[in-house]
Amino acid sequence: MTTVETIQYYWPELVTSLKETGVMMGISLTICLLGGLPLGIGLYLVNPQLSKRHSGMYWLINLVITLIRSFPYLLFVATLIPFTRWLIGFAFGPIPAAVPLSIVAVAIFARLVEQVLLDVPSDIRLLADSLGVKGWQYVWHFLLVEARSGLVLAFTTTTVSMVSYSTVMGIVGGGGIGDFAIRYGYQRYEYGIMYVAIIWMIVTVFLIQLIGNLLARKLDKRK
Protein backbone atom coordinates (compact mmCIF):
# COMPACT_ATOMS: atom_id res chain seq x y z
CA MET A 1 0.00 0.00 0.00
CA THR A 2 1.03 3.59 -0.57
CA THR A 3 1.48 5.92 2.38
CA VAL A 4 -1.88 7.56 1.70
CA GLU A 5 -3.64 4.19 1.57
CA THR A 6 -1.89 3.12 4.78
CA ILE A 7 -3.04 6.29 6.55
CA GLN A 8 -6.61 5.70 5.36
CA TYR A 9 -6.43 2.10 6.58
CA TYR A 10 -5.24 3.09 10.07
CA TRP A 11 -7.34 6.25 10.27
CA PRO A 12 -9.90 4.86 12.80
CA GLU A 13 -7.06 3.82 15.13
CA LEU A 14 -5.43 7.24 14.71
CA VAL A 15 -8.67 9.01 15.64
CA THR A 16 -9.07 6.74 18.69
CA SER A 17 -5.51 7.48 19.80
CA LEU A 18 -6.08 11.21 19.47
CA LYS A 19 -9.22 10.93 21.61
CA GLU A 20 -7.24 9.00 24.24
CA THR A 21 -4.54 11.67 24.26
CA GLY A 22 -7.24 14.33 24.55
CA VAL A 23 -8.75 12.61 27.59
CA MET A 24 -5.37 12.26 29.30
CA MET A 25 -4.37 15.84 28.55
CA GLY A 26 -7.75 17.30 29.48
CA ILE A 27 -7.85 15.63 32.90
CA SER A 28 -4.20 16.23 33.75
CA LEU A 29 -4.17 19.90 32.70
CA THR A 30 -7.39 20.64 34.58
CA ILE A 31 -5.93 19.15 37.75
CA CYS A 32 -2.65 20.91 36.97
CA LEU A 33 -4.35 24.30 36.91
CA LEU A 34 -6.58 23.68 39.95
CA GLY A 35 -3.78 22.14 42.02
CA GLY A 36 -0.56 23.58 40.68
CA LEU A 37 -1.53 27.25 40.81
CA PRO A 38 -2.55 27.29 44.51
CA LEU A 39 0.45 25.12 45.39
CA GLY A 40 2.81 27.46 43.53
CA ILE A 41 1.29 30.49 45.25
CA GLY A 42 1.66 28.71 48.59
CA LEU A 43 5.32 27.97 47.85
CA TYR A 44 5.87 31.62 47.06
CA LEU A 45 4.19 32.82 50.27
CA VAL A 46 6.25 30.53 52.52
CA ASN A 47 9.50 30.97 50.58
CA PRO A 48 12.37 31.74 53.00
CA GLN A 49 13.32 34.71 50.80
CA LEU A 50 10.05 36.36 51.83
CA SER A 51 9.08 34.76 55.13
CA LYS A 52 11.15 33.03 57.82
CA ARG A 53 8.11 31.78 59.76
CA HIS A 54 7.21 28.87 57.50
CA SER A 55 10.60 27.72 56.24
CA GLY A 56 10.01 24.17 57.47
CA MET A 57 6.78 23.88 55.49
CA TYR A 58 8.52 25.31 52.43
CA TRP A 59 11.36 22.80 52.48
CA LEU A 60 8.94 19.90 52.99
CA ILE A 61 6.82 20.89 49.96
CA ASN A 62 9.96 21.70 48.02
CA LEU A 63 11.35 18.22 48.75
CA VAL A 64 8.17 16.49 47.52
CA ILE A 65 8.05 18.54 44.30
CA THR A 66 11.75 17.98 43.61
CA LEU A 67 11.36 14.25 44.23
CA ILE A 68 8.44 13.99 41.79
CA ARG A 69 10.22 16.01 39.10
CA SER A 70 13.47 14.05 39.43
CA PHE A 71 11.84 10.59 39.41
CA PRO A 72 12.36 8.84 36.02
CA TYR A 73 8.92 9.22 34.45
CA LEU A 74 8.60 5.72 33.00
CA LEU A 75 9.40 4.20 36.40
CA PHE A 76 7.11 6.73 38.10
CA VAL A 77 4.20 5.56 35.94
CA ALA A 78 4.90 1.90 36.73
CA THR A 79 5.29 2.63 40.45
CA LEU A 80 1.91 4.36 40.60
CA ILE A 81 -0.05 1.47 39.04
CA PRO A 82 -1.13 0.03 42.44
CA PHE A 83 -2.07 3.50 43.69
CA THR A 84 -4.05 4.21 40.51
CA ARG A 85 -5.91 0.91 40.83
CA TRP A 86 -6.74 1.72 44.47
CA LEU A 87 -7.81 5.26 43.61
CA ILE A 88 -10.18 4.65 40.69
CA GLY A 89 -10.63 0.88 40.65
CA PHE A 90 -8.73 0.05 37.47
CA ALA A 91 -5.27 0.78 36.10
CA PHE A 92 -5.55 0.59 32.31
CA GLY A 93 -6.93 3.18 29.91
CA PRO A 94 -6.60 6.93 29.35
CA ILE A 95 -8.30 7.89 32.63
CA PRO A 96 -5.87 5.90 34.85
CA ALA A 97 -3.03 7.18 32.67
CA ALA A 98 -4.04 10.71 33.64
CA VAL A 99 -3.17 10.04 37.30
CA PRO A 100 0.65 10.09 36.98
CA LEU A 101 0.37 12.80 34.32
CA SER A 102 -1.63 14.97 36.73
CA ILE A 103 0.81 14.52 39.59
CA VAL A 104 3.81 15.44 37.44
CA ALA A 105 1.92 18.35 35.85
CA VAL A 106 1.05 19.80 39.28
CA ALA A 107 4.67 19.52 40.42
CA ILE A 108 6.07 21.15 37.27
CA PHE A 109 3.50 23.94 37.16
CA ALA A 110 3.79 24.70 40.89
CA ARG A 111 7.55 25.14 40.55
CA LEU A 112 7.15 27.39 37.51
CA VAL A 113 4.46 29.46 39.27
CA GLU A 114 6.78 30.00 42.22
CA GLN A 115 9.59 31.18 39.94
CA VAL A 116 7.28 33.54 38.04
CA LEU A 117 5.97 35.09 41.27
CA LEU A 118 9.47 35.52 42.64
CA ASP A 119 10.28 37.61 39.56
CA VAL A 120 7.51 40.10 40.34
CA PRO A 121 9.17 43.43 41.25
CA SER A 122 9.34 44.19 44.96
CA ASP A 123 7.76 47.57 44.22
CA ILE A 124 4.43 45.79 43.83
CA ARG A 125 4.61 44.56 47.42
CA LEU A 126 5.57 48.01 48.64
CA LEU A 127 2.63 49.53 46.76
CA ALA A 128 0.23 46.98 48.26
CA ASP A 129 1.58 47.61 51.77
CA SER A 130 1.20 51.36 51.33
CA LEU A 131 -2.46 50.83 50.44
CA GLY A 132 -3.03 48.63 53.45
CA VAL A 133 -3.66 45.50 51.37
CA LYS A 134 -3.02 42.21 53.16
CA GLY A 135 -3.30 38.46 52.56
CA TRP A 136 -5.22 37.12 49.59
CA GLN A 137 -6.23 40.60 48.44
CA TYR A 138 -2.58 41.21 47.67
CA VAL A 139 -2.28 37.86 45.90
CA TRP A 140 -5.45 38.29 43.83
CA HIS A 141 -5.40 42.01 43.00
CA PHE A 142 -1.68 42.66 42.75
CA LEU A 143 0.52 39.56 42.51
CA LEU A 144 -1.47 37.51 39.99
CA VAL A 145 -2.32 40.57 37.91
CA GLU A 146 1.34 41.53 37.62
CA ALA A 147 2.46 37.94 36.91
CA ARG A 148 -0.37 36.88 34.58
CA SER A 149 1.76 36.94 31.42
CA GLY A 150 4.46 34.77 33.00
CA LEU A 151 1.83 32.41 34.42
CA VAL A 152 0.38 31.86 30.95
CA LEU A 153 3.84 31.02 29.64
CA ALA A 154 4.41 28.69 32.60
CA PHE A 155 1.16 26.85 31.88
CA THR A 156 2.09 26.69 28.19
CA THR A 157 5.45 25.15 29.06
CA THR A 158 3.75 22.62 31.33
CA THR A 159 1.26 21.72 28.59
CA VAL A 160 4.06 21.11 26.09
CA SER A 161 5.83 18.89 28.62
CA MET A 162 2.63 16.90 29.19
CA VAL A 163 2.27 16.28 25.46
CA SER A 164 5.72 14.70 25.56
CA TYR A 165 5.02 12.70 28.73
CA SER A 166 1.70 11.43 27.36
CA THR A 167 3.49 9.60 24.54
CA VAL A 168 4.78 6.92 26.92
CA MET A 169 1.43 6.10 28.54
CA GLY A 170 1.10 2.91 26.51
CA ILE A 171 2.99 1.23 29.35
CA VAL A 172 -0.22 1.26 31.41
CA GLY A 173 -2.51 0.68 28.47
CA GLY A 174 -3.35 4.36 28.29
CA GLY A 175 -3.07 4.45 24.52
CA GLY A 176 -2.61 7.82 22.92
CA ILE A 177 -0.78 9.09 19.88
CA GLY A 178 2.62 7.91 21.11
CA ASP A 179 1.35 4.37 21.62
CA PHE A 180 -0.21 4.50 18.15
CA ALA A 181 3.13 5.50 16.60
CA ILE A 182 4.91 2.60 18.29
CA ARG A 183 2.31 -0.14 17.75
CA TYR A 184 1.10 0.66 14.26
CA GLY A 185 4.18 2.44 12.96
CA TYR A 186 7.43 1.18 14.44
CA GLN A 187 6.47 -2.40 15.39
CA ARG A 188 4.73 -3.06 12.04
CA TYR A 189 7.43 -1.32 10.01
CA GLU A 190 4.89 1.21 8.77
CA TYR A 191 7.28 4.10 9.09
CA GLY A 192 5.01 6.43 7.15
CA ILE A 193 2.40 6.05 9.89
CA MET A 194 5.02 6.68 12.56
CA TYR A 195 6.17 9.87 10.82
CA VAL A 196 2.57 11.07 10.49
CA ALA A 197 2.10 10.66 14.25
CA ILE A 198 5.38 12.45 14.96
CA ILE A 199 4.51 15.34 12.65
CA TRP A 200 1.08 15.56 14.28
CA MET A 201 2.69 15.91 17.72
CA ILE A 202 5.21 18.49 16.49
CA VAL A 203 2.46 20.60 14.91
CA THR A 204 0.36 20.31 18.08
CA VAL A 205 3.25 21.48 20.26
CA PHE A 206 3.98 24.34 17.84
CA LEU A 207 0.35 25.52 17.96
CA ILE A 208 0.18 25.27 21.75
CA GLN A 209 3.35 27.32 22.08
CA LEU A 210 2.17 29.86 19.52
CA ILE A 211 -1.19 30.37 21.23
CA GLY A 212 0.49 30.61 24.64
CA ASN A 213 2.99 33.21 23.39
CA LEU A 214 0.28 35.31 21.76
CA LEU A 215 -1.91 35.24 24.87
CA ALA A 216 1.02 36.07 27.13
CA ARG A 217 2.01 38.99 24.91
CA LYS A 218 -1.55 40.29 24.98
CA LEU A 219 -1.68 40.10 28.79
CA ASP A 220 1.77 41.60 29.34
CA LYS A 221 1.23 44.98 31.03
CA ARG A 222 4.77 46.10 30.17
CA LYS A 223 4.04 46.29 26.43
Side-chain angles (χ1 to χ4, degrees):
M1 291 189 295
T2 65
T3 301
V4 174
E5 291 173 336
T6 303
I7 293 173
Q8 291 176 340
Y9 180 78
Y10 287 111
W11 184 256
E13 287 78 10
L14 175 60
V15 172
T16 299
S17 70
L18 291 173
K19 290 179 180 178
E20 291 169 343
T21 297
V23 170
M24 287 186 284
M25 293 293 295
I27 295 174
S28 62
L29 291 177
T30 299
I31 295 176
C32 167
L33 191 59
L34 296 178
L37 183 59
L39 183 59
I41 295 173
L43 272 174
Y44 167 80
L45 294 176
V46 300
N47 191 293
Q49 297 181 32
L50 304 173
S51 172
K52 302 295 183 182
R53 294 178 300 172
H54 306 288
S55 59
M57 181 185 301
Y58 174 82
W59 290 115
L60 176 61
I61 300 174
N62 181 70
L63 176 63
V64 173
I65 290 178
T66 301
L67 180 64
I68 293 174
R69 294 183 63 198
S70 61
F71 207 110
Y73 185 67
L74 199 59
L75 298 179
F76 184 71
V77 172
T79 302
L80 282 184
I81 289 177
F83 171 75
T84 302
R85 184 178 290 112
W86 169 82
L87 181 66
I88 60 179
F90 54 101
F92 299 98
I95 295 178
V99 173
L101 274 177
S102 299
I103 295 174
V104 172
V106 167
I108 293 175
F109 188 49
R111 176 66 71 205
L112 292 176
V113 168
E114 180 197 16
Q115 295 303 316
V116 169
L117 297 182
L118 286 173
D119 288 337
V120 173
S122 58
D123 293 346
I124 301 299
R125 182 75 193 203
L126 295 175
L127 174 61
D129 289 341
S130 68
L131 295 174
V133 174
K134 301 294 182 181
W136 286 103
Q137 287 184 327
Y138 164 68
V139 172
W140 184 257
H141 294 290
F142 289 84
L143 192 64
L144 293 182
V145 171
E146 186 67 24
R148 58 188 179 182
S149 176
L151 292 175
V152 169
L153 289 177
F155 188 69
T156 301
T157 300
T158 304
T159 303
V160 169
S161 298
M162 290 305 100
V163 172
S164 177
Y165 284 137
S166 70
T167 61
V168 303
M169 297 314 299
I171 189 175
V172 291
I177 189 67
D179 183 57
F180 171 84
I182 293 296
R183 287 196 295 124
Y184 296 102
Y186 179 76
Q187 292 180 350
R188 299 188 183 186
Y189 303 101
E190 297 285 2
Y191 295 113
I193 288 294
M194 185 176 68
Y195 295 144
V196 167
I198 292 172
I199 292 172
W200 195 295
M201 285 184 284
I202 291 174
V203 171
T204 299
V205 167
F206 178 84
L207 291 176
I208 291 171
Q209 190 67 61
L210 178 63
I211 294 172
N213 290 344
L214 291 175
L215 183 58
R217 189 176 298 116
K218 185 175 182 181
L219 293 174
D220 194 346
K221 295 175 59 180
R222 297 168 297 179
K223 297 182 183 293

